[in-house]
Amino acid sequence: MANLKALRQKVKNITDYSPELQQYNDQLDELLNDAYNTIWTKKRWNFATKEYNFKFIPDILPTRDVIAPVTSVTTTPVRGSRQISFSVPMDRLTVENFEGQFITLEDYEYGISKVVSNQEILLDEPYHGPVPPPAGTTNWYIKRRYYDLPHDCIELLTLAHRDKPHSNNGAGVLPPYGKLISLMARKDEQLNLRMDYKASYAEAYVWSPSFYVPEAQNILLTPVDDPGVNSFPVNSYLEVCWAFLRDGQVGSLSEPAIVKFDAGQGGFNTLTIGFKSWDDQDIVADVFQTKDTQPSQFEGLQKIVFWNANFNRTTGERLGLPVWRTFNNPGGSATRNTSTYLDAVTAADTAASVNITNFNQIDPGNTVYIEQDGQYNRIRPYPRVDAFDEAVAQAAATNDYSKVPQDFLRYGVARYYYKPSHLGFATDSPEMPYEFHQLVVYQALATIYEKVGQLSQAQNYERKIEKEIKQLERRYTDHIDSLIQRGQFGLVGGRPFYYDYNSLRHMG
């Protein structure tokens, strides 16, 4: 398997130019990553897909999302206010991402600008219901209309109801599912589909307007003296950046910055990461005021922070292209066995900074940021799924185990064409079969020769790429379906040959 270092060396050997300069290596790595993405997106390669369980989110209802002995959740909206408070907490309001979704309140639909807690939300416009406002009304429901596709999704290939993860014990019949009930992609403009129609199962999905998370701007890093032995050692470095986070999706990265931890109290430092605009102002959402009639500029935009793992923390120099990983352990706990230890460090929309207090918050296995422009594809299952296969009862946290939140589960299965992580570390390898690695080199060489004006050489490598692609697509894209006939096939060797309907194998 050829890694990034080997691919880079091969380009140097063919071009007969091998300077050992970090700047030149970084430029080659950029070209190799561009070539990698070009080859990756030329065809729908069968190795370039992922499958995951697609979670349908049933509506939050006043009589569904309750914990005994409570029988219903009420709210008393105030005319002219965007604030909606509920009588009791509801787990699903914060477990799932409902920002940017909708609530129907007294038969009118409002957008949800921000989920403040599991008992409070902010609307995108003031409530303007009946006069006088109903006291303790149960005439409301919260619905998940739009579903964001994964951040590395290029194209959705399949969305289907399947007999997993909830099984029907291999019965292969309806209900609940047979072998495959695939949902077809539809367009509102063609079918004039209703927006608020719901059912137990979806029949199709509708492509919806893309969801955009704005780009971050500048950053301010401040080391803080700390005598704790778990914080960052003196004379070490760290490179950090941040991005906006909304509805669980990440936007484009900010300008990165490097901090040096100077000698401090006890020889250790913690780090404060400040979120700044280009004119050095704090990027924060205004605290909600009762007379606010519209969301403030950054309302609902949380922040998430990243550190560069491809970085020499002793010299403060990059080792190649940056590889941005999340910080973990939001509480900065020295104890590993906590329910939030593996969660990413984020900051509230109203926070101007976040503190990194423990060295265990940078882990080489943390999630890698995939280059993106903050734009996400969305779909709307039609009808909206409002049923479940399993009701998960709430269980309080104990000294040994985390809390189990109340939930209502119904899953489908989705398969999509994904975008791979870029090659940053010297040992990173393309996520494709070995025979494709040569094509990455060819594509990079075509770009290099075109750049220096040797067009005949560039065209030569383009021809090589096209020739190889035709060979590889027969192996990795084209498949011939076999026609299988069910039933008894006749006599084989003087004995009957039977067909097993369940396993597609013959009996006898």
Short mmCIF file of all heavy atoms in Angstrom, two decimals, residues 16 21 40 149 234-235 271 308 352 358 381-382 397 420 430 474:
data_model
loop_
_atom_site.label_atom_id
_atom_site.label_comp_id
_atom_site.label_asym_id
_atom_site.label_seq_id
_atom_site.Cartn_x
_atom_site.Cartn_y
_atom_site.Cartn_z
N ASP A 16 12.42 14.04 -11.70
CA ASP A 16 13.86 14.19 -11.49
C ASP A 16 14.18 15.51 -10.78
O ASP A 16 15.13 16.21 -11.11
CB ASP A 16 14.60 14.13 -12.84
CG ASP A 16 16.10 13.83 -12.65
OD1 ASP A 16 16.45 13.25 -11.60
OD2 ASP A 16 16.89 14.20 -13.53
N LEU A 21 12.72 20.19 0.88
CA LEU A 21 12.20 21.43 1.46
C LEU A 21 10.76 21.21 1.88
O LEU A 21 9.96 20.68 1.11
CB LEU A 21 12.27 22.58 0.45
CG LEU A 21 13.67 22.97 -0.06
CD1 LEU A 21 13.56 24.00 -1.18
CD2 LEU A 21 14.52 23.51 1.08
N TRP A 40 -11.11 10.07 -7.40
CA TRP A 40 -12.20 9.57 -6.55
C TRP A 40 -13.56 9.90 -7.13
O TRP A 40 -14.50 9.10 -7.06
CB TRP A 40 -12.05 10.17 -5.15
CG TRP A 40 -13.00 9.65 -4.13
CD1 TRP A 40 -14.28 10.09 -3.89
CD2 TRP A 40 -12.77 8.58 -3.20
NE1 TRP A 40 -14.85 9.37 -2.87
CE2 TRP A 40 -13.94 8.43 -2.43
CE3 TRP A 40 -11.69 7.75 -2.95
CZ2 TRP A 40 -14.06 7.48 -1.42
CZ3 TRP A 40 -11.80 6.80 -1.95
CH2 TRP A 40 -12.98 6.67 -1.20
N LEU A 149 -27.77 15.30 5.67
CA LEU A 149 -26.96 14.14 5.30
C LEU A 149 -25.58 14.27 5.94
O LEU A 149 -25.16 15.35 6.34
CB LEU A 149 -26.86 14.05 3.78
CG LEU A 149 -28.21 13.83 3.07
CD1 LEU A 149 -28.01 13.77 1.57
CD2 LEU A 149 -28.88 12.54 3.56
N VAL A 234 5.58 23.38 29.93
CA VAL A 234 6.19 24.63 29.46
C VAL A 234 7.06 24.36 28.24
O VAL A 234 7.51 23.23 27.99
CB VAL A 234 7.03 25.29 30.56
CG1 VAL A 234 6.15 25.66 31.74
CG2 VAL A 234 8.17 24.37 30.98
N ASN A 235 7.24 25.44 27.45
CA ASN A 235 8.07 25.41 26.25
C ASN A 235 7.56 24.42 25.20
O ASN A 235 8.33 23.95 24.35
CB ASN A 235 9.53 25.08 26.60
CG ASN A 235 10.15 26.14 27.49
OD1 ASN A 235 9.89 27.33 27.32
ND2 ASN A 235 10.97 25.72 28.44
N LEU A 271 -5.09 26.67 28.50
CA LEU A 271 -5.25 27.47 27.29
C LEU A 271 -6.66 28.02 27.20
O LEU A 271 -7.64 27.28 27.37
CB LEU A 271 -4.95 26.62 26.05
CG LEU A 271 -5.15 27.27 24.68
CD1 LEU A 271 -4.21 28.45 24.50
CD2 LEU A 271 -4.94 26.24 23.57
N ASN A 308 -4.09 20.90 15.59
CA ASN A 308 -3.35 20.30 14.48
C ASN A 308 -2.52 19.13 14.99
O ASN A 308 -1.59 19.31 15.78
CB ASN A 308 -2.45 21.34 13.81
CG ASN A 308 -1.71 20.78 12.61
OD1 ASN A 308 -1.98 19.66 12.16
ND2 ASN A 308 -0.77 21.55 12.08
N ALA A 352 -17.71 33.75 24.56
CA ALA A 352 -16.66 34.41 23.78
C ALA A 352 -15.38 33.59 23.74
O ALA A 352 -14.46 33.91 22.97
CB ALA A 352 -16.36 35.80 24.35
N ASN A 358 -6.75 20.41 30.36
CA ASN A 358 -6.12 19.13 30.65
C ASN A 358 -5.44 18.60 29.40
O ASN A 358 -6.02 18.64 28.31
CB ASN A 358 -7.16 18.13 31.15
CG ASN A 358 -6.54 16.99 31.93
OD1 ASN A 358 -5.58 16.37 31.48
ND2 ASN A 358 -7.09 16.71 33.10
N PRO A 381 -38.02 13.23 4.30
CA PRO A 381 -38.79 12.00 4.09
C PRO A 381 -40.27 12.33 3.93
O PRO A 381 -40.82 13.18 4.63
CB PRO A 381 -38.54 11.20 5.37
CG PRO A 381 -37.26 11.72 5.91
CD PRO A 381 -37.26 13.18 5.57
N TYR A 382 -40.90 11.66 2.97
CA TYR A 382 -42.32 11.91 2.71
C TYR A 382 -43.08 10.58 2.69
O TYR A 382 -42.71 9.67 1.96
CB TYR A 382 -42.51 12.62 1.37
CG TYR A 382 -43.96 12.90 1.06
CD1 TYR A 382 -44.58 14.05 1.56
CD2 TYR A 382 -44.72 12.00 0.31
CE1 TYR A 382 -45.91 14.29 1.30
CE2 TYR A 382 -46.06 12.25 0.06
CZ TYR A 382 -46.64 13.39 0.55
OH TYR A 382 -47.97 13.65 0.31
N ALA A 397 -28.84 8.14 35.84
CA ALA A 397 -27.43 7.79 35.95
C ALA A 397 -27.14 7.21 37.33
O ALA A 397 -27.78 7.55 38.32
CB ALA A 397 -26.57 9.03 35.71
N PRO A 420 -13.51 11.26 1.03
CA PRO A 420 -12.52 10.78 1.99
C PRO A 420 -11.79 11.93 2.67
O PRO A 420 -11.80 13.07 2.19
CB PRO A 420 -11.55 9.97 1.12
CG PRO A 420 -11.61 10.66 -0.21
CD PRO A 420 -13.03 11.15 -0.36
N PRO A 430 -4.30 6.47 0.39
CA PRO A 430 -5.61 6.67 -0.25
C PRO A 430 -6.57 5.53 0.08
O PRO A 430 -6.16 4.36 0.11
CB PRO A 430 -5.28 6.71 -1.75
CG PRO A 430 -3.84 7.08 -1.81
CD PRO A 430 -3.21 6.47 -0.60
N ARG A 474 -14.46 -1.60 -15.06
CA ARG A 474 -15.08 -2.90 -15.26
C ARG A 474 -15.05 -3.72 -13.98
O ARG A 474 -15.94 -4.53 -13.72
CB ARG A 474 -14.34 -3.66 -16.37
CG ARG A 474 -14.43 -2.99 -17.73
CD ARG A 474 -13.57 -3.73 -18.75
NE ARG A 474 -13.56 -3.03 -20.04
CZ ARG A 474 -12.79 -3.38 -21.07
NH1 ARG A 474 -11.98 -4.43 -20.95
NH2 ARG A 474 -12.84 -2.70 -22.19
#
